[in-house]
Every structure is written in structure tokens, then in C-alpha cells.
Amino acid sequence: MSTHQNDDELHHLLGAFVLGGLSGDEHRDFTRHLRHCETCQQESAQFSGLPSLLDLVDAEDAPAILTGVTGAAEFSDPVGPSSTPPALLDAVRAQRLRGRWRLVAAAAVLVVAAGGVGVALAPAISRLDEPPTSRIVARGPAGSATSVDIALVTRGWGTQVDLSGSDLPTSGVLYLEVTDLQGRSWDVASWSGTPSGRTTLTTACWVKAANIKMIQVHTREGQTVAAATT
Amino acid sequence: MAPLDEDVVAGIYREHAPALRRFIGRTSVDQSRVDDVVQEAIMRVWRQAPEVTSMRAYLFQTTRNILIDMHRAAGRRVVEVAEDRDDDSRSRIDPRATNPAVEIDRALDQILVEDALSRLQPDHREVVLALYYRRFTVVETAAALGIPAGTVKSRAYYAVRSLRAILDEMGVTQ
């Protein structure tokens, strides 16, 4: 081993040993060092796969990649859309709404289940006074604070719908749409947005509560403001 | 407030779509479907919302799986056609059609190595370029870069360590 190089210096030769470029003397010195240095042996084993990986990059392409100011992200990037494709964002919105409705539906089931326990434990008289009611919360798209509490009250003639919403659009006409299990839809109420964004109303529809699958608040243009499945 | 889903997806697209497109472009997949594959990969990753240290690595792996599925589907069609003929024609099927992973994994490793090289510090990158790709000696590299030979050696050492760490993070274990 050359006397002018201590172990630290020899240790650092591992980089040039892996990449190539050591002189004959240095290569011999490092090979000797490697025989007794456990640290270098371990690191050398970790780096042993690098040359074959580096070989995957063509030496002629390498300068363009390695000297690129902005790095490989700009290197021979095939022409493609620079902004997010609308189809991708549409898919995200559709997926998100479905996911949200599933969540709301699960919450509604919990509310109904809790109500069921309450009915079972309550005195019989309260059951006579209070017609079966299920409550759901319709929410707006992610990022919107819109929240609409809806109570579906079973009546002999159909369903009474009590609605109490907050953070609704403050202008324009809003509609409450009921969709039944067969996928048929009806607007069962319409009203104008209020400056406070709050609205409380009661309306009615002939569809039995058990047959209501989805409730939506939408604008005149058909944009969904809040939605929930039962 | 949490960022909107659309913003999250747009951010992923902006940061990673060019590299994914480059990867897909190097496989034999129908080039008219490159953007479809990119979008499918981003949608899958967004839906799964994985807790991962490297979103890029996860996107690359997801893209790889989509490509392999596509090749397998195409490969099955080739086999179905071949089975209508005699045994002789079946034996002539391109082996890549039945084992697409080889070609795809090679393209993926290539992209990941390029990506890793681009993420090295510039002074580490230029030492790798000179020593490995230009086949310069340490002394020649020192002269070309105007730095002492000792600096070339230590930069080569830290460049190799960084490269290994980046590749490990990207799931390249070779």
C-alpha cells in the first residue's frame, strides 16, 4: 500500500473504482485496501449493480441528460399536453362524487340504525306521535362548505321533505330533485338563493320515502350543488 | 382547507406526466395510447392515495403494471390466433409477446437511471459523465473540470453514494 494515502483517502477511491478512471497504481492500492476493509467491502457490494444500470443509458445520450440545466425531465420529452387533460379532471370529479355519495349513504344508514334503536327503547306513544323519519345530509363537491340537512317524513300520501341548507349559492334559482329506485327524477321544490346562503323549507312528493334513492340540489343550469343517496 | 382533488391531480400530472410519457414511449405499446396510459396511472394512484415515500416511484410501478396488463391482453390475442393454425406457427411467436415484463422492465430501469442522474448535484453529475461515459481518467477529469484530482475522487465517491440512494428510493435494487 502506498504510504502517502491514509485509509480515508483510500476509502474515497471506491467512487472512481466503480466509475472507472483510477491509475494503475491507485487501482492496485485500492484493491489491496478492499481486501481488509469491511466498510469498503459492504459499500462495494451495494454499488456493484451500478455499472450495468449506468450502461442502460447510451453514452451518446448521457451528456444531454447530465448537462441539461433542468435535468432529465426536459430531455427528449415527447410532445404532450402541457396542462392536465380535461378528461382526467372529469374522471376525478365523477369518481369523487361517487365516493362522496357512498360516504353520505353510509352515514345515512348509521343515522337510520341509531334512530331504530331509539324507537325501540322509546315509549310506544312517541312512535305514534312521530311518523317514521329518515335524515340525511347532502354535501357539495370537495372544497365546498355546502351542507343540506334533509328529513324524509313518511306520510300517508307520500313523503314530506324538510330541508335546511347552509352555504348554498346566494343567487339564482335552486331546485330540489328526487330520484327514485327506478331512476326517475322529479323537481319537487324550487326557490331563489338568499344573501345568507341559508334556506329552510318543506315540500312534498308522492314517492314513498322507501323508494327514494337520491336527493340533489341543483342550479337552473343543472350543476349539482349538493347530493346524497339514501 | 385541503387542496381540491382536481388541484392534486393537476399537480401530479404537471410533475410526473412528462417522465411517464417518456417511459411509455420507449416500450412497444401503441404510441397513440401513451396519454391514455398516463391518465390511467395517475387516476389509479389518486384513487388508492397510497402513503409512499416516493410518489414518482409508485407512479412508475403502476404504469409498468398497466403496460404489462396491456401486453398480456395483446399476447393472448396473438396466442388465440396462433391456436387456430398449426403448432408450428405457435412456436414462432415473439417471446416478448409472452414475456412483456423483460422489455418493459428494461425501459423502466433506463428511465429511472436517467431520472436518478438528473437528480444528482451538478458537480457530481459532471464527474460521473467524465469518468463513466467519457471514459476519462481521474487526472483527465481534473484537468477538464479545472479541479484537483483529490476533489474528483471524493466527488466520484459521493456521486456513487447519492446515485445508489436515489435508485434505492425508486425501487431499483439491482
Side-chain angles (χ1 to χ4, degrees):
Chain A
M1 188 186 300
S2 304
T3 51
H4 65 279
Q5 285 191 311
N6 62 31
D7 271 8
D8 273 353
E9 286 171 332
L10 282 166
H11 193 75
H12 276 179
L13 290 182
L14 178 57
F17 179 76
V18 171
L19 295 174
L22 291 180
S23 69
D25 285 351
E26 285 171 324
H27 194 277
R28 192 190 56 236
D29 288 350
F30 183 76
T31 310
R32 282 183 191 153
H33 167 77
L34 192 56
R35 280 191 209 128
H36 68 81
C37 176
E38 277 188 28
T39 310
C40 278
Q41 286 167 11
Q42 284 168 6
E43 283 202 306
S44 177
Q46 286 170 20
F47 301 158
S48 63
L50 286 178
S52 58
L53 286 169
L54 290 170
D55 281 342
L56 290 172
V57 177
D58 195 292
E60 289 184 11
D61 291 338
I65 301 164
L66 296 178
T67 58
V69 177
T70 49
E74 303 298 319
F75 174 69
S76 68
D77 179 26
V79 177
S82 55
S83 60
T84 316
L88 179 58
L89 294 180
D90 285 347
V92 167
R93 285 189 201 102
Q95 186 81 33
R96 186 194 58 217
L97 278 177
R98 280 202 295 278
R100 184 163 296 279
W101 288 351
R102 274 198 299 274
L103 279 179
V104 172
V109 168
L110 281 177
V111 168
V112 170
V117 172
V119 167
L121 297 175
I125 193 158
S126 70
R127 264 188 286 170
L128 294 175
D129 289 343
E130 291 174 15
T133 301
S134 56
R135 297 177 192 280
I136 54 178
V137 180
R139 296 196 190 280
S144 134
T146 303
S147 173
V148 182
D149 293 321
I150 296 165
L152 301 175
V153 185
T154 296
R155 298 288 185 186
W157 40 259
T159 305
Q160 173 187 321
V161 182
D162 297 328
L163 175 153
S164 175
S166 59
D167 286 294
L168 290 162
T170 53
S171 61
V173 177
L174 299 171
Y175 296 82
L176 182 69
E177 181 183 291
V178 168
T179 304
D180 72 3
L181 292 171
Q182 282 80 49
R184 298 174 296 178
S185 296
W186 298 268
D187 284 334
V188 297
S190 64
W191 68 99
S192 293
T194 59
S196 67
R198 302 184 69 84
T199 296
T200 301
L201 60 82
T202 294
T203 186
C205 72
W206 63 268
V207 180
K208 286 181 182 170
N211 291 335
I212 293 176
K213 186 182 176 208
M214 184 165 75
I215 295 189
Q216 279 190 80
V217 176
H218 64 85
T219 64
R220 195 195 291 275
E221 292 73 33
Q223 188 183 358
T224 301
V225 173
T229 50
T230 58
Chain B
M1 186 190 294
L4 285 174
D5 290 324
E6 285 93 328
D7 291 343
V8 171
V9 168
I12 294 173
Y13 188 88
R14 205 166 39 243
E15 192 176 344
H16 304 293
L20 295 179
R21 211 177 284 123
R22 208 161 60 242
F23 164 36
I24 301 161
R26 292 204 192 159
T27 66
S28 58
V29 72
D30 179 355
Q31 294 302 297
S32 68
R33 301 199 59 192
V34 169
D35 282 321
D36 293 342
V37 177
V38 170
Q39 291 182 39
E40 173 63 20
I42 292 176
M43 269 304 283
R44 281 194 196 180
V45 170
W46 170 75
R47 274 200 299 259
Q48 292 159 357
E51 289 193 10
V52 290
T53 50
S54 171
M55 171 65 82
R56 200 174 185 84
Y58 198 82
L59 275 166
F60 273 124
Q61 280 303 320
T62 304
T63 304
R64 170 196 178 273
N65 295 343
I66 293 171
L67 290 172
I68 288 178
D69 288 347
M70 286 170 68
H71 274 263
R72 284 199 182 123
R76 267 199 298 278
R77 281 197 292 277
V78 171
V79 172
E80 281 160 14
V81 170
E83 280 172 348
D84 289 341
R85 301 177 191 164
D86 52 46
D87 284 346
D88 208 32
S89 67
R90 212 182 309 174
S91 65
R92 286 199 300 269
I93 297 168
D94 183 344
R96 280 176 304 177
T98 50
N99 189 10
V102 175
E103 175 216 17
I104 291 168
D105 283 343
R106 184 185 158 82
L108 179 56
D109 280 347
Q110 191 179 42
I111 289 287
L112 292 177
V113 173
E114 286 180 13
D115 206 49
L117 287 169
S118 76
R119 284 165 60 188
L120 287 179
Q121 285 180 35
D123 52 0
H124 288 173
R125 269 208 305 266
E126 56 188 18
V127 166
V128 174
L129 178 63
L131 290 177
Y132 196 81
Y133 291 105
R134 293 201 169 129
R135 295 288 168 206
F136 283 6
T137 64
V138 168
V139 175
E140 287 166 343
T141 302
L145 300 179
I147 52 175
T151 308
V152 172
K153 291 172 195 166
S154 64
R155 282 186 189 174
Y157 174 71
Y158 289 109
V160 166
R161 272 177 51 146
S162 300
L163 204 51
R164 184 71 266 172
I166 294 168
L167 289 168
D168 284 347
E169 180 198 314
M170 300 299 283
V172 183
T173 51
Q174 181 180 339

